[in-house]
């Protein structure tokens, strides 16, 4: 159920899209619109951190918040709480960048901070934005908003890695489009749910990472249930683990988990 809302992704991306889109080159053809690297990183706080002195904990918390704020000036940095929802992670950072070094740099800074040794990455998914093979270039125009992650900042974000069967790729493009059109029709019946689809072929263990945004948690549940009944669903090999993330400022998350 990856590309099903490719045609229903948010339309409020025009400004960001224009900022990074193709620009005319007076000496040659248009420059290619850049694509973003995306990482979803899930953290679990070691309970031993809560036993440290208050002064040490405050230092570690402030270091982490400073690192986070530094990177909020880039293409994307968002925080989400999962405490009380899953036992294996407390919060998630959603990042996007045009340079893989940025993703490595922030990971290094967090690890070397005072709180770093007490933060364990329980899950991490690496992916990249990409044009959909199911939407013709003439239909999407020169600037494709799918190449730029622009969250709608709704209350809930649902994330999971996704892998299709090899049999799916053996089908003709015409047959795949037919089944995806059904998938898209189902998605359109839930306008409160929008989707960011990113691709991981060769970059990570999954083929896609899907991130649904909505303010109505029941709509997402009903959408997923209905998508299970579509023909394309037969070609799903894996779509777990699934994460229910709640949009929340990082300082509130740290306060809630006792950091």
């Amino acid at each position: 159920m990856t590309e099903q809302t490719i045609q229903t992704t948010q339309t409020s991306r025009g400004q960001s899209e224009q900022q990074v889109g193709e620009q005319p080159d007076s000496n040659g053809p248009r420059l290619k619109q850049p694509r973003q690297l995306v990482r979803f990183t899930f953290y679990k706080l070691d309970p031993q951190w809560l036993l440290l002195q208050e002064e040490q904990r405050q230092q570690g918390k402030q270091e982490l918040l400073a690192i986070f704020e530094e990177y909020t000036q880039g293409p994307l940095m968002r925080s989400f709480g999962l405490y009380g929802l899953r036992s294996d992670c407390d919060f998630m950072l959603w990042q996007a960048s045009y340079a893989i070094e940025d993703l490595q740099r922030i990971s290094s800074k967090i690890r070397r901070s005072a709180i770093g040794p007490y933060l364990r990455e329980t899950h991490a998914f690496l992916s990249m934005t990409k044009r959909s093979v199911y939407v013709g270039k003439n239909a999407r125009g020169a600037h494709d908003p799918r190449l730029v992650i622009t969250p709608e900042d709704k209350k809930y974000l649902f994330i999971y890695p996704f892998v299709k069967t090899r049999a799916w790729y053996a089908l003709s493009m015409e047959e795949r489009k037919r089944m995806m059109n059904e998938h898209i029709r189902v998605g359109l019946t839930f306008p409160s749910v929008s989707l960011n689809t990113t691709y991981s072929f060769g970059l990570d263990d999954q083929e896609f990472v899907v991130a649904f945004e909505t303010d109505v948690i029941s709509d997402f549940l009903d959408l997923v249930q209905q998508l299970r009944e579509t023909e394309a669903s037969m070609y799903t090999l894996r779509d777990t683990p699934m994460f229910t993330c709640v949009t929340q400022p990082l300082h509130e998350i740290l306060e809630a988990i006792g950091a």
Side-chain angles (χ1 to χ4, degrees):
M1 53 188 288
T2 54
E3 302 95 326
Q4 50 95 9
T5 43
I6 281 175
Q7 295 182 2
T8 67
T9 49
Q10 53 267 36
T11 59
S12 60
R13 298 177 174 179
Q15 183 177 358
S16 297
E17 175 188 350
Q18 292 173 1
Q19 292 171 353
V20 299
E22 300 175 4
Q23 300 296 328
D25 185 346
S26 57
N27 298 320
R30 290 178 178 268
L31 298 177
K32 190 174 182 180
Q33 184 179 352
R35 292 155 61 179
Q36 292 180 322
L37 286 155
V38 183
R39 193 172 196 244
F40 304 84
T41 312
F42 297 82
Y43 293 93
K44 180 71 175 179
L45 181 66
D46 190 327
Q48 292 297 314
W49 174 258
L50 306 181
L51 302 179
L52 300 180
Q53 295 294 322
E54 175 69 18
E55 182 179 352
Q56 184 176 355
R57 289 164 50 200
Q58 283 299 322
Q59 177 187 350
K61 184 192 303 186
Q62 293 308 315
E63 284 185 29
L64 180 59
L65 290 173
I67 294 169
F68 179 81
E69 289 301 322
E70 176 185 352
Y71 284 88
T72 57
Q73 306 304 315
L76 176 69
M77 174 64 83
R78 293 288 193 279
S79 58
F80 301 83
L82 290 93
Y83 58 89
L85 304 178
R86 285 187 65 107
S87 62
D88 57 351
C89 48
D90 292 321
F91 66 95
M92 186 274 291
L93 299 182
W94 185 11
Q95 308 159 244
S97 176
Y98 292 102
I100 200 166
E101 291 78 11
D102 289 339
L103 303 180
Q104 292 182 303
R105 191 175 297 113
I106 188 172
S107 177
S108 175
K109 286 186 176 182
I110 291 176
R111 291 186 182 195
R112 290 184 289 113
S113 69
I115 197 175
Y118 297 88
L119 282 177
R120 183 165 62 94
E121 292 187 10
T122 58
H123 304 274
F125 307 114
L126 179 65
S127 55
M128 179 175 263
T129 58
K130 189 179 186 296
R131 296 182 187 273
S132 170
V133 298
Y134 301 106
V135 181
K137 189 170 183 179
N138 292 334
R140 63 187 173 230
H143 304 290
D144 193 336
R146 296 164 190 84
L147 301 187
V148 183
I149 300 296
T150 308
E152 295 185 353
D153 293 328
K154 295 184 177 181
K155 182 174 182 179
Y156 301 105
L157 181 72
F158 300 92
I159 299 168
Y160 57 87
F162 189 88
V163 180
K164 287 182 175 292
T165 65
R166 293 300 173 91
W168 171 260
Y169 299 103
L171 299 173
S172 67
M173 178 59 71
E174 180 180 5
E175 184 68 3
R176 282 186 279 164
K177 282 185 176 180
R178 181 187 64 78
M179 284 187 274
M180 288 311 302
N181 285 337
E182 179 193 15
H183 229 50
I184 291 169
R185 284 194 297 271
V186 173
L188 288 172
T189 63
F190 293 88
S192 67
V193 182
S194 57
L195 170 63
N196 292 277
T197 300
T198 53
Y199 300 73
S200 297
F201 292 95
L203 302 183
D204 208 336
D205 294 342
Q206 65 279 340
E207 296 174 345
F208 311 87
V209 182
V210 292
F212 294 83
E213 294 182 88
T214 186
D215 288 322
V216 187
I217 193 170
S218 58
D219 281 359
F220 176 71
L221 184 151
D222 294 342
L223 168 61
V224 173
Q225 184 176 8
Q226 289 192 27
L227 288 173
R228 290 290 191 271
E229 301 173 4
T230 62
E231 187 176 357
S233 181
M234 295 190 301
Y235 294 91
T236 298
L237 179 64
R238 175 171 60 88
D239 58 1
T240 57
M242 293 188 173
F243 301 88
T244 297
C245 311
V246 181
T247 303
Q248 192 173 8
L250 184 57
H251 68 90
E252 292 185 7
I253 294 173
L254 297 178
E255 184 69 24
I257 64 177

